[in-house]
Amino acid sequence: MTPGRPVMPGADKVRRDLSAEGAPPSSSAPAGTAAFGATSPTSGLGPLTVQRREPKPDDVEIEIDFCGLCHSDVHATRGEWGARPWPLVPGHEIVGRVRRLGDEVQGFAVGDRVGVGCLVDSCRECENCLDGVEQFCEKGPVLTYGSVDPRNGEAVTQGGYSQRIVVNEHFVLRIPDGMEPAAAAPLLCAGITTYSPLHYFGVEPGEHVGVVGLGGLGHLAVKLAKAMGAEVTVFTRSSAKASAARDLGADRVVVTTDPDQLRAAERSLDVVIDTVAAAHDVNAYLRTLRLDGALFQLSLPAGTMAPVDPGLLIRRRLSYAGSLIGGIAETQEMLDFCAEHGVAAEIELIGASELNEAFDRMVAGDVNYRFVLDASTLEGAGAGSAQAGEGKA
């Protein structure tokens, strides 16, 4: 294991290429594109029309084929993370084809299969951006939806539950040949969220990784850790998930409601990836770590968590850490790794008319393991009268 700040592949190129400011926003007003979004915290999702900007010289316009549904989309559109600009179109697990290119774009061609994750811009000047970890931009990254975009007239970004999107070329990812595009979509959030801490901690063949929770994040954590050569233990409250965990590649399943199983797992793991979004006591999982082990918290549980026992950290030099998605270079590395090792999300493909039901099912935990929107169904669902333009906040 090699803990420490990673140097992402391509960071030098990022340092060179991201120094130029974008061109001024175009004054043209392109035709609207069909989308689904919320008009208030209580509206649910319905048909909208998004006004996308005309591509600037360094922009890529993408015809969206698929967009994964993330639990954060539910939180955002239902107002659970505070006030939002309305209307709001969610979606940050986007896969599609290049439709148009700005005159200065290099490295992409019309028709290329591409993706967009959680980031569409950053300051590109701070130390973190120049090191290829744009998610930790010191001025704050521009998220794919619900973010103010300083380079584009203080626009509020609108996400991937739509037919098209325009993104700066440096935040567009290449989907490797041979990847099934719908199953690739969740990799752009859930995949990089679980890959990044495994990569950061330097998981190697023969090491032991624990995964807490077997949902959208957890199932990919199992697949990625196995692809890295680790032995994987899944922690779940439900014994009914044991078979599914083993089908995904888990070597061992610990049912956390059984104290004997938890005690048997103590001091057996090198890394624990905690994906549980509900408030829970992490001390039980810290006890499963060996000397110099680390527990990575990936979710933002609602409610008060039990305090961490510092004695557990001190007695075995443990680390209790957090991790947030990944930078652009690391996300591309993750996509290439998944293509090489045959890692993809387990998905349920849905149409636009099923989005509200899918949100309710996500909250209830009724999905194996990730919903993906077929964007071709948006137009059939009709464009709404509400305008979700990328205008001023």
Side-chain angles (χ1 to χ4, degrees), residues 3 16 26 76 139 141 156 252 258 313:
R16 291 195 306 271
S26 169
K139 296 181 181 178
V156 173
R252 180 184 183 191
D258 184 340
L313 305 180

Side-chain angles (χ1 to χ4, degrees), residues 64-71 73 91-96 113 160-162 180-190 216 219-220 344-355 358-359 361-362 366-378:
I64 298 173
D65 294 322
F66 302 102
C67 185
L69 278 60
C70 179
H71 207 118
D73 300 343
H92 56 211
E93 298 177 346
I94 299 166
V95 171
R113 180 79 71 189
Y161 295 10
S162 56
E180 202 287 313
L187 299 177
L188 296 162
C189 176
H219 92 286
L220 284 171
E346 303 290 324
I347 68 166
E348 181 177 335
L349 197 63
I350 63 167
S353 63
E354 301 170 278
L355 280 167
F359 271 29
R361 286 179 59 192
M362 276 197 288
D366 179 24
V367 52
N368 290 325
Y369 288 90
R370 204 75 168 182
F371 288 116
V372 174
L373 170 66
D374 179 350
S376 69
T377 64
L378 288 163

